[in-house]
Amino acid sequence: MFSALISTAANRKDKRSMSKRHSTSAVVTVAALALLTSACGTANDGESTEGGKGKVKMGMALSALNPFFVQFKKGAEEEAKAHGVSLNIQNARDDASEQTNQVQNLTAQDIKALIINPVDSKAAVPSVKSAKNADIPVVAADRSIDSPDVKTTVASDNVGGGKLAAKQMADMLDGKGKIIVLRGQTGTSASRERGKGFEEGIKKFPGIKVAAKQPADFLRDKGMDVTTNLLQSHPDIDGVFAENDEMALGAVKALRGRAGNDVKVIGFDGTPEAIKAVKKGSMSCTIAQQPDELGKMSVRNAMRIVEDESVDKNIKVPVKAVHQKNVDDFS
């Protein structure tokens, strides 16, 4: 009887000990998972952070994550991986104040370089100054920033692209007709430069009249609304030039069956959806940038700056006209 009691007590002690060991093991497992999650970072709602112990840290502040910048982001991430760079990407959702806050947070994270695709070229100037005070070099991407402290600007040849769009429009209209122009977001260098190039280019064709110009902020829905409103005053237009593909696709919706037939629609960017629209015939042409290459070159040149190599002040990425004759090369 006494022996049985001792055996029972021992069994209870062993069970308590085993339970304690299991509990301790569970705590260690949970803690390990928490640390792993923290190290891997997050990728929510267009914002991503790639972890990497010992890697060079860089920050990237994007104006938005529309189809064009999704390709830009992909190229940047590929180049970052190739160079062993930990790239923290932020999406400002076209809000200049939000981008300022994001840049402020990035500069506090011991990054070695900062790539800014500005919502507004002027509004981004204080961000560049803050980065300079923190001894962080800045690369402007796709759009310039009105600051001499930017180390380099990697962008498409927007002025040349605007001239190319004007030449395409003139060829499609045989040098005469009435058109409207959908401007991009006011304050961006991309809108300013594309508009300048198109205006200079279309002046060479006096038979083409620009009936109206109006901003649609690079947005598809707004491009549709602005085009719809302008058609009330100018129902007899022969062409639409939009300073990006999103607005051009909005114009296509507003024009319905007229798009690509009696009204030529030309966009700018060369996004996959625009290429499909050109192939279908609802868009007549898009001036194709190389967004993935822009992303790659932005990271590549930021890395060169980190490694104390010299870079050009302005780096231009070529653009190409995509139309019915060559669209299969881009599909």
Side-chain angles (χ1 to χ4, degrees):
M1 181 69 177
F2 182 69
S3 174
L5 286 173
I6 292 175
S7 176
T8 302
N11 287 338
R12 287 175 179 168
K13 183 177 181 181
D14 286 344
K15 287 180 180 178
R16 285 196 301 269
S17 177
M18 187 177 295
S19 176
K20 186 175 181 180
R21 285 198 300 272
H22 282 311
S23 177
T24 302
S25 175
V27 169
V28 170
T29 301
V30 170
L33 286 171
L35 286 171
L36 181 61
T37 302
S38 176
C40 290
T42 60
N44 298 321
D45 198 20
E47 301 177 4
S48 68
T49 305
E50 292 186 2
K53 188 176 180 181
K55 290 184 177 181
V56 172
K57 293 181 180 180
M58 288 188 191
M60 175 175 281
L62 293 179
S63 61
L65 267 179
N66 58 31
F68 176 84
F69 285 112
V70 167
Q71 294 181 72
F72 180 100
K73 176 176 175 284
K74 181 180 178 182
E77 288 173 331
E78 287 176 0
E79 191 71 13
K81 185 176 180 180
H83 286 279
V85 170
S86 175
L87 189 61
N88 187 330
I89 303 176
Q90 298 295 315
N91 169 22
R93 299 172 183 81
D94 282 324
D95 186 326
S97 297
E98 178 67 16
Q99 187 167 66
T100 298
N101 293 334
Q102 290 172 346
V103 169
Q104 188 175 7
N105 290 333
L106 287 170
T107 56
Q109 295 177 21
D110 193 32
I111 58 174
K112 301 302 180 184
L114 175 63
I115 300 166
I116 303 178
N117 159 242
V119 173
D120 185 291
S121 298
K122 186 176 289 186
V125 173
S127 293
V128 176
K129 187 175 181 180
S130 296
K132 183 183 179 183
N133 291 339
D135 200 26
I136 299 170
V138 174
V139 172
D142 186 59
R143 304 169 182 172
S144 64
I145 301 174
D146 301 341
S147 170
D149 295 323
V150 171
K151 294 294 184 181
T152 186
T153 299
V154 180
S156 297
D157 185 357
N158 286 310
V159 174
K163 291 179 180 178
L164 183 57
K167 178 67 166 59
Q168 293 295 314
M169 183 69 78
D171 288 347
M172 291 175 181
L173 297 181
D174 294 324
K176 57 183 183 296
K178 184 177 178 181
I179 67 172
I180 61 174
V181 175
L182 302 180
R183 303 299 310 273
Q185 190 169 8
T186 304
T188 62
S189 62
S191 177
R192 184 169 61 243
E193 291 168 5
R194 292 171 195 179
K196 177 184 177 183
F198 188 81
E199 187 176 343
E200 290 177 359
I202 212 69
K203 281 180 180 177
K204 296 179 181 179
F205 305 97
I208 296 178
K209 178 186 176 184
V210 178
K213 295 180 186 178
Q214 192 168 325
D217 298 340
F218 291 135
L219 301 173
R220 187 180 306 197
D221 288 347
K222 198 161 184 180
M224 181 179 68
D225 292 342
V226 170
T227 302
T228 299
N229 291 336
L230 289 176
L231 286 172
Q232 303 298 317
S233 305
H234 310 283
D236 56 341
I237 61 168
D238 303 293
V240 177
F241 169 58
E243 290 177 352
N244 83 336
D245 284 338
E246 287 295 292
M247 293 186 298
L249 290 166
V252 166
K253 282 187 177 182
L255 288 161
R256 299 182 181 180
R258 296 177 64 193
N261 294 313
D262 59 320
V263 180
K264 307 303 179 185
V265 180
I266 297 179
F268 200 120
D269 277 344
T271 62
E273 193 171 351
I275 298 293
K276 288 179 182 178
V278 171
K279 192 166 187 175
K280 181 182 176 183
S282 56
M283 271 181 66
S284 308
C285 174
T286 178
I287 305 303
Q289 300 190 78
Q290 303 180 66
D292 56 338
E293 187 64 19
L294 281 168
K296 288 178 181 179
M297 290 185 70
S298 297
V299 173
R300 191 178 306 155
N301 283 279
M303 194 65 187
R304 286 173 179 166
I305 294 168
V306 170
E307 294 175 344
D308 290 326
E309 295 181 24
S310 62
V311 296
D312 293 335
K313 191 69 175 175
N314 289 285
I315 298 169
K316 296 294 184 184
V317 179
V319 296
K320 299 176 182 179
V322 183
H323 41 69
Q324 282 288 318
K325 293 181 180 179
N326 67 356
V327 68
D328 288 337
D329 296 337
F330 295 84
S331 301

